[in-house]
Amino acid sequence: MEILGVDIGGSGIKGSPVNIETGELLAERYRIATPQPATPQAVADALKELVQHFKWKGKIGAGFPAVVRGGVVETAANIDPSWIGTPVCKLFTKVTGCDTHVVNDADSAGVAEIHFGAGRGVKGVVIMITVGTGLGTAVFIDGKLVPNTEFGHLFYKGMIAEHYTSDAVRKDEDLDWDQWGKRFNKYLKHLAMLTWPDLIIVGGGASKKFERFSDQIKVNTRVVPAQLLNEAGLIGAAMFAAEDL
Ligand code: BGC
């Protein structure tokens, strides 16, 4: 089955048709700069442009950087506050004319990694952490997702964890990889102490630089980089839409 997979981020909206049985992209990824301000209507219009680019008529699955429960956006940590309470699935379906399913971006990336990447066949508790502007998390138990976990918002050292060790923080505070890796390690230890996962998968931009900070990671749990890199979000979103989750 083919679904248009989309990854909605703070700077870009990327999409491609996905073969959800194999996880393969069926066309070159197309990227549109996220409109600023990224209000619901502006993002919906950008999504429509993506749909027109692919002349798409089928289902769409989109990963979105917030909690999405029952088709409604519930949080807005790194997005325009006007999203809160927006029935995002309905809005996107109306504007694009295509049946659109929207899920949390870390959950969608995690689903792709569990099926086709670093979490394939792993039993027990797996936590995927996406390191980007924010810290997104996806928790799996024997391959089944517990949706919308927000462990990037754990309190650590008196602040929200994603304000301590996201990729945005690394850039803003000009931390080198050792300095950032030490912080990330402390966060992982805290998270692992609370959740005791069998495997932690590190995704997002940081997964590409894993070897630059892996020396600093001393958690009593296996920690591995994601394998699907930039594509996990849109592949997983397409899989969600296919299963009507
Ligand atoms: C949001 C999460 C999201 C993560 C990554 C966080 O700020 O609260 O819902 O998954 O950023 O985009």
Side-chain angles (χ1 to χ4, degrees):
M1 188 195 262
E2 295 179 16
I3 308 262
L4 181 63
V6 179
D7 194 5
I8 298 174
S11 56
I13 300 175
K14 292 159 258 169
S16 163
V18 175
N19 175 332
I20 59 122
E21 278 87 30
T22 61
E24 275 170 312
L25 304 195
L26 299 166
E28 199 177 322
R29 242 171 21 144
Y30 187 68
R31 181 184 190 276
I32 295 173
T34 305
Q36 301 301 338
T39 57
Q41 189 61 46
V43 172
D45 290 340
L47 180 61
K48 187 173 178 187
E49 201 184 317
L50 197 82
V51 166
Q52 285 167 344
H53 169 82
F54 289 109
K55 301 188 174 54
W56 193 254
K57 300 258 183 293
K59 267 190 183 179
I60 301 174
F64 191 80
V67 170
V68 183
R69 190 176 53 174
V72 175
V73 176
E74 301 278 9
T75 62
N78 289 307
I79 57 173
D80 196 273
S82 62
W83 277 100
I84 293 186
T86 300
V88 63
C89 296
K90 269 196 197 141
L91 171 70
F92 287 175
T93 298
K94 187 165 162 242
V95 172
T96 61
C98 300
D99 183 13
T100 307
H101 295 247
V102 184
V103 292
N104 173 263
D105 56 356
D107 285 354
S108 59
V111 162
E113 283 295 328
I114 281 282
H115 280 86
F116 301 116
R120 196 167 22 176
V122 180
K123 293 269 182 232
V125 176
V126 176
I127 303 188
M128 163 100 174
I129 304 173
T130 60
V131 184
T133 307
L135 280 186
T137 59
V139 175
F140 296 86
I141 302 169
D142 289 342
K144 192 152 174 41
L145 176 71
V146 179
N148 285 314
T149 57
E150 286 284 331
F151 288 127
H153 288 251
L154 278 181
F155 259 73
Y156 186 70
K157 289 191 180 275
M159 64 178 110
I160 296 170
E162 74 175 14
H163 295 167
Y164 177 66
T165 187
S166 66
D167 205 39
V169 168
R170 182 183 63 79
K171 291 176 187 151
D172 287 353
E173 297 188 23
D174 204 15
L175 302 174
D176 64 31
W177 283 105
D178 280 350
Q179 289 169 318
W180 182 82
K182 283 194 177 101
R183 284 194 188 191
F184 192 56
N185 179 53
K186 286 183 189 160
Y187 165 69
L188 290 186
K189 279 189 161 171
H190 187 61
L191 175 64
M193 182 264 292
L194 294 169
T195 56
W196 291 95
D198 298 290
L199 175 68
I200 294 176
I201 304 172
V202 181
S207 60
K208 287 177 245 167
K209 307 282 183 197
F210 190 75
E211 74 291 347
R212 301 186 66 173
F213 63 86
S214 56
D215 281 358
Q216 304 301 333
I217 306 299
K218 298 172 176 105
V219 190
N220 181 14
T221 294
R222 199 154 64 91
V223 181
V224 299
Q227 289 174 0
L228 304 177
L229 304 177
N230 289 337
E231 288 159 8
L234 57 96
I235 296 170
M239 294 171 69
F240 261 101
E243 290 176 28
D244 270 347
L245 293 170

